[in-house]
Amino acid sequence: MKLRRWLLVLIMLLLCLPSVVPPVQAKAASISIQLDGVSLSSDVSPYILPKVNVTMVPTRIISEGLGASVAWNQKSRTVTIGKDGSSLQLTSGKNTALVDGSAVSLDASVEIKNGRVMVPLRFISENLGLQVEWNQSAQRISLFTGVELVPPPELSKEGIRGAWISTVFNLDWPKAKSTAQQQQQSFIALLDSLQDVGINAVYVQVRPAGDAIYPSTMVPWSKVLTGIQGNDPGYDPVAFMVEEAHKRKMEFHAWFNPFRANTDLQTASLHPSHVALQHPDWIVNANKQLYINPGIPEARQHIIDTIMEVVNGYDIDGVHLDDYFYPSNTVFHDEAAYREYNNGEYSDVGEWRRGNINDFVQSLGESIHQEKPDVEYGISPFGVWRNKSVDKTGSDTKAGVTAYDSMYADVRAWIQNGWIDYVAPQIYWSMSNPAVDYDKLVDWWVGEVQGTGVDLLIGHAPYKLGTNEIGWQSASEIINQLKYNQNYDEVKGSIFFRAENILKNPLGFKDQLQSYYR
């Protein structure tokens, strides 16, 4: 049985593949091939016979991948592959192969190219023990031996391996204000590339600046799609992206910037339906940007309504908020709102601001779970809650900005009250930073979620790789961080900021991450 099973697998590898790999142009990129996840290299790449649409591969790389012997008889122009006493013979110019003396039909004959024996590879039924995957964007054939292809582990087992996809300023997607078809093709290529690295969840910025990359009845179309805010791109990007992510068994999380109204102070180019024009009394100018004032209850509810529009309208896996609450290191003129809405409940403006954010976080979570209990609701706050020097229960760090004191985000309250399903602190420092140490922060956040039922994800900073900041001169920094996370069952995964900073392979990070996840 073992011999016959090996023989069947070998036949599968050496027969042709007329339908799995689509035709390519003569000048297309070289096709690579993998066997059970291991790259098989050769000086002659696989290619496709255009008229019969058969993929040809070098005999040597396949046979060596299986541990078989290969012999070439120049006189008879026959290649003989042997393993465990069995043999397979293929002769140039013949459309049959001999398997232990029995003839097997081929769809194309053996070819000699640049001194290499090229044989046809074809896909046959799964019950013979082989699966073939074709990655169009990567131009790669992946072969898997065994009775059936083992599906990717469930996310609950392997954890979240996420990537933030920024749309603001056209950072990650869409890279250019192009046609609907071009944007769709670009997103497909982006997903394929991320999945190839090992990413299983994407956090896509659907509300970059008081606008939307989906058709909304409350806010205008984002300018990142067409260059002009309010212009219809001709399709529904979120519907398209959710479908493409789920085709690949990847999670899709809708990422919102809740309180950022615009990335600058200009209003002339805003669509008339934009919140800054519809409700100028809600807007605060701070740090050269426009913010929606969290202190106004109607403004908070407006943001919740826009988020719920996505929750109710799409099959998303989660709602994700970043750290854009109150802006840090700037003056925020909300004195009038404090006088009008405090009602004596809070003794100072700081406590009042934290109360506003708490109300927002709690109300949004209740709205989400009331409509769709299975949708994950999480927030990615600044990585330091409070320094120990200010609060003895804070982390042993010396950060110049903290979530609690600078952004008025009391993450501890969100966790302890169970208002969120997960927290993903942006721990964007290295393991050798004496002022803000990655290890110490992970330890601290683990302690915060223990026993609460709130999951902990870690936000990582590949965008810092290659910078002069301490500890970021090697891609192994993040790999070591991932290894450190394994010390804790509470850490359920990681999210990387951002997609481009993975795929550009800074200091070889993409390659190392791919290897680590495999």
Side-chain angles (χ1 to χ4, degrees):
M1 285 299 293
K2 289 184 179 179
L3 181 60
R4 177 175 292 275
R5 181 176 179 79
W6 172 85
L7 190 58
L8 288 173
V9 172
L10 189 57
I11 292 172
M12 287 182 279
L13 289 170
L14 293 172
L15 295 179
C16 47
L17 177 63
S19 59
V20 172
V21 183
V24 295
Q25 302 299 320
K27 295 183 179 180
S30 298
I31 299 172
S32 62
I33 190 166
Q34 291 183 343
L35 175 62
D36 289 333
V38 178
S39 295
L40 304 177
S41 60
S42 173
D43 50 0
V44 179
S45 299
Y47 59 89
I48 298 172
L49 297 176
K51 292 184 179 180
V52 292
N53 195 25
V54 172
T55 303
M56 305 296 289
V57 296
T59 308
R60 181 182 59 80
I61 65 170
I62 298 296
S63 57
E64 288 185 358
L66 291 172
S69 63
V70 180
W72 170 252
N73 187 314
Q74 179 64 31
K75 183 176 181 180
S76 64
R77 299 181 67 79
T78 298
V79 60
T80 302
I81 304 168
K83 183 178 172 67
D84 299 333
S86 293
S87 67
L88 177 66
Q89 291 184 334
L90 300 97
T91 301
S92 178
K94 290 187 178 182
N95 289 330
T96 58
L98 292 179
V99 179
D100 286 339
S102 300
V104 176
S105 297
L106 301 175
D107 291 333
S109 66
V110 174
E111 292 188 349
I112 309 300
K113 185 174 183 179
N114 296 337
R116 297 301 181 189
V117 182
M118 307 298 293
V119 295
L121 170 73
R122 75 176 175 91
F123 175 80
I124 62 175
S125 59
E126 294 183 8
N127 64 322
L128 291 179
L130 182 78
Q131 293 278 353
V132 178
E133 288 185 354
W134 168 249
N135 188 314
Q136 175 68 31
S137 63
Q139 290 286 291
R140 184 184 63 244
I141 302 167
S142 296
L143 305 173
F144 300 89
T145 59
V147 176
E148 61 181 15
L149 177 63
V150 179
E154 295 296 327
L155 296 193
S156 60
K157 296 179 181 179
E158 69 178 12
I160 288 288
R161 303 171 177 178
W164 277 292
I165 297 178
S166 297
T167 60
V168 67
F169 304 122
N170 299 94
L171 290 174
D172 290 316
W173 181 93
K175 296 296 289 184
K177 293 170 279 292
S178 50
T179 67
Q181 183 180 9
Q182 289 170 330
Q183 290 178 7
Q184 291 171 357
Q185 291 174 344
S186 173
F187 190 76
I188 286 173
L190 178 61
L191 280 190
D192 285 343
S193 297
L194 289 172
Q195 187 176 43
D196 187 51
V197 176
I199 298 300
N200 62 22
V202 290
Y203 296 74
V204 181
Q205 192 176 32
V206 301
R207 177 188 167 89
D211 49 18
I213 65 167
Y214 54 89
S216 170
T217 61
M218 289 175 280
V219 298
W221 282 105
S222 175
K223 67 179 180 180
V224 303
L225 297 167
T226 64
I228 300 175
Q229 191 175 80
N231 277 14
D232 189 333
Y235 74 112
D236 185 337
V238 170
F240 173 79
M241 291 189 288
V242 170
E243 181 180 2
E244 289 299 324
H246 288 172
K247 280 181 183 178
R248 293 160 177 77
K249 297 183 180 180
M250 300 173 76
E251 290 191 359
F252 182 95
H253 296 253
W255 162 22
F256 295 84
N257 295 104
F259 295 102
R260 184 170 63 194
N262 200 20
T263 55
D264 55 40
L265 302 179
Q266 303 302 315
T267 58
S269 61
L270 297 179
H271 189 267
S273 64
H274 191 275
V275 64
L277 301 180
Q278 288 286 314
H279 300 281
D281 54 315
W282 292 358
I283 303 301
V284 177
N285 297 356
N287 206 22
K288 298 182 180 180
Q289 297 188 45
L290 299 181
Y291 287 85
I292 300 173
N293 191 342
I296 300 176
E298 294 85 355
R300 296 197 299 268
Q301 187 58 49
H302 165 77
I303 298 170
I304 292 174
D305 292 342
T306 62
I307 295 174
M308 291 306 299
E309 192 176 34
V310 176
V311 172
N312 290 318
Y314 301 93
D315 184 25
I316 61 173
D317 298 289
V319 168
H320 181 82
L321 306 183
D322 56 22
D323 57 340
Y324 272 83
F325 299 105
Y326 283 90
S328 59
N329 291 333
T330 190
V331 176
F332 194 82
H333 290 294
D334 55 357
E335 299 86 356
Y338 177 60
R339 291 192 298 269
E340 182 174 356
Y341 296 107
N342 180 25
N343 298 322
E345 183 177 356
Y346 297 98
S347 59
D348 62 71
V349 68
E351 288 299 319
W352 174 73
R353 288 175 177 174
R354 277 183 283 274
N356 295 330
I357 300 302
N358 285 348
D359 287 344
F360 172 78
V361 169
Q362 180 182 8
S363 297
L364 176 57
E366 290 173 350
S367 298
I368 293 169
H369 292 140
Q370 182 176 351
E371 293 296 324
K372 292 187 177 180
D374 292 335
V375 169
E376 290 284 313
Y377 170 45
I379 300 178
S380 180
F382 188 75
V384 178
W385 177 71
R386 298 194 89 185
N387 292 316
K388 191 174 183 179
S389 59
V390 176
D391 185 327
K392 64 180 181 180
T393 66
S395 55
D396 185 14
T397 51
K398 298 176 181 179
V401 172
T402 64
Y404 183 94
D405 299 291
S406 306
M407 300 169 183
Y408 303 95
D410 189 358
V411 189
R412 172 177 284 173
W414 311 343
I415 295 171
Q416 291 182 346
N417 287 288
W419 294 337
I420 56 179
D421 296 313
Y422 70 86
V423 61
Q426 300 170 20
I427 307 184
Y428 292 170
W429 299 273
S430 72
M431 303 179 77
S432 54
N433 191 318
V436 191
D437 187 280
Y438 177 89
D439 312 43
K440 292 179 179 179
L441 280 173
V442 171
D443 297 346
W444 187 88
W445 284 103
V446 165
E448 288 297 301
V449 302
Q450 281 178 337
T452 65
V454 174
D455 289 338
L456 174 62
L457 305 178
I458 303 298
H460 298 269
Y463 76 93
K464 286 190 174 182
L465 288 171
T467 66
N468 293 328
E469 184 176 324
I470 185 170
W472 294 102
Q473 287 68 54
S474 170
S476 61
E477 169 63 35
I478 294 182
I479 303 303
N480 290 334
Q481 293 179 2
L482 295 174
K483 293 177 179 178
Y484 188 82
N485 294 349
Q486 293 180 355
N487 293 321
Y488 295 107
D489 292 336
E490 288 81 2
V491 178
K492 305 300 183 182
S494 298
I495 315 176
F496 303 95
F497 188 81
R498 51 187 171 82
E500 184 177 68
N501 299 112
I502 299 173
L503 300 180
K504 278 194 171 182
N505 203 23
L507 305 181
F509 171 63
K510 182 189 75 171
D511 298 333
Q512 289 195 34
L513 184 64
Q514 183 182 55
S515 176
Y516 176 82
Y517 278 150
R518 286 184 176 174

